Amino acid sequence: LGLMHYNGWGVPQNFAEALKWYGKSADHGNAAAQNNMGAMYANARGVKRDFTEAVNWYRKAADQGFADAQFNLGAMYYNGRRVKQDYAEAIKWYILAADQGHSDAQYNLGLIHSRGTGVLQNTAEATKWFARAAEQGDVEAQFTPGEIYSAGKGIPQDYAKAAKWYRRAADQGNAGAQFALGRMLSEGKGVPRDYVQAYMWLSLAASGQKGKRRDAAAALRDSVGRKLTAGQKADSQRLAKEWKPQKHE
């Protein structure tokens, strides 16, 4: 009933009514309802925003092993919302959630280790967590290992691995990854040089970005286009027009 009122499924959307039903279930120990109560207080849905109450409800669910609540509690400690900012405590809860397959927790752990937030900066450890999130289809997590392997900062530079991760993110529509993959295809880095494919990806990147990034993608696309015959360019334009996002896990 709480979900029905929250989402307006078959009844008018009513956050206060959702809060009432979530509370009844949460008081009986339902971890999902307890996590939902935390979210209601954190986001001021049907009740005045109260991060202290949010933390209390998240903790009840997290202590039962509920991964979403462990992630949310980790975020509260990371940001210092009504609890003392504590990166070690945030990492503890993120790891508990990540070990249950929570991709957002895995991605955040990647960010923490890549930035050295509360831990020594460790690119290899960051890449491990990014890769775990990426394997579940997290498109941003798929793009980030591509950047790390391409730059070779903290780990051996590996263009083939970079291209693999760029392609996964590009296939899902990440314009930055499409640009990076198009550039690698045009240069033959980590992949065989293929101007037709490069032109296609750069066309998609240009259409998916704005400002200077769009201009950079368009400029490289046009440079590649000058290496194509009229027939090859037509094929590449057709591929770009027919392209559809693909989910990678």
Side-chain angles (χ1 to χ4, degrees):
L1 283 173
L3 287 172
M4 292 177 70
H5 284 287
Y6 185 88
N7 294 292
W9 294 337
V11 295
Q13 189 177 51
N14 188 323
F15 292 139
E17 193 68 11
L19 184 76
K20 181 183 80 174
W21 288 106
Y22 284 154
K24 289 178 182 292
S25 185
D27 286 339
H28 284 87
N30 183 285
Q34 291 168 343
N35 180 63
N36 288 342
M37 287 291 288
M40 298 291 273
Y41 278 104
N43 297 301
R45 295 288 191 266
V47 67
K48 184 178 179 181
R49 179 174 281 112
D50 187 332
F51 289 127
T52 299
E53 275 296 300
V55 168
N56 289 338
W57 284 111
Y58 284 149
R59 190 180 302 280
K60 288 181 180 182
D63 284 341
Q64 293 193 66
F66 195 72
D68 282 345
Q70 292 170 337
F71 169 78
N72 289 330
L73 187 57
M76 299 296 272
Y77 276 106
Y78 186 87
N79 294 301
R81 289 181 172 172
R82 288 300 186 272
V83 290
K84 182 180 179 181
Q85 190 173 53
D86 187 332
Y87 292 132
E89 192 71 7
I91 290 168
K92 181 189 84 173
W93 289 109
Y94 280 154
I95 288 174
L96 288 170
D99 284 344
Q100 294 191 67
H102 198 290
S103 63
D104 287 339
Q106 292 165 346
Y107 182 74
N108 281 6
L109 285 166
L111 290 177
I112 284 169
H113 285 285
S114 68
R115 295 170 177 170
T117 307
V119 294
L120 291 175
Q121 188 178 38
N122 187 327
T123 304
E125 186 70 9
T127 304
K128 180 192 81 173
W129 286 112
F130 284 137
R132 287 182 63 177
E135 292 291 354
Q136 297 189 69
D138 186 308
V139 65
E140 195 62 34
Q142 290 170 344
F143 175 63
T144 305
E147 294 285 87
I148 293 172
Y149 279 115
S150 180
K153 292 182 179 179
I155 58 173
Q157 191 173 53
D158 191 325
Y159 290 127
K161 287 184 178 179
K164 181 192 79 168
W165 287 114
Y166 282 147
R167 185 176 295 278
R168 289 191 175 195
D171 279 343
Q172 294 194 71
N174 184 289
Q178 290 170 342
F179 174 78
L181 180 60
R183 183 183 59 208
M184 295 187 83
L185 284 161
S186 73
E187 297 172 352
K189 283 187 175 180
V191 289
R193 179 177 279 120
D194 187 329
Y195 291 130
V196 172
Q197 284 288 313
Y199 189 93
M200 180 199 77
W201 286 115
L202 292 166
S203 296
L204 292 168
S207 65
Q209 301 195 90
K210 297 179 180 179
K212 291 182 178 180
R213 291 183 178 182
R214 178 193 59 204
D215 294 343
L220 184 54
R221 176 202 61 200
D222 293 345
S223 175
V224 170
R226 289 192 285 272
K227 297 179 174 68
L228 299 175
T229 66
Q232 288 174 325
K233 184 180 288 189
D235 286 341
S236 187
Q237 290 170 336
R238 175 183 55 79
L239 289 171
K241 186 176 180 180
E242 294 174 351
W243 177 87
K244 292 181 180 179
Q246 301 176 41
K247 180 76 171 178
H248 275 286
E249 296 183 0

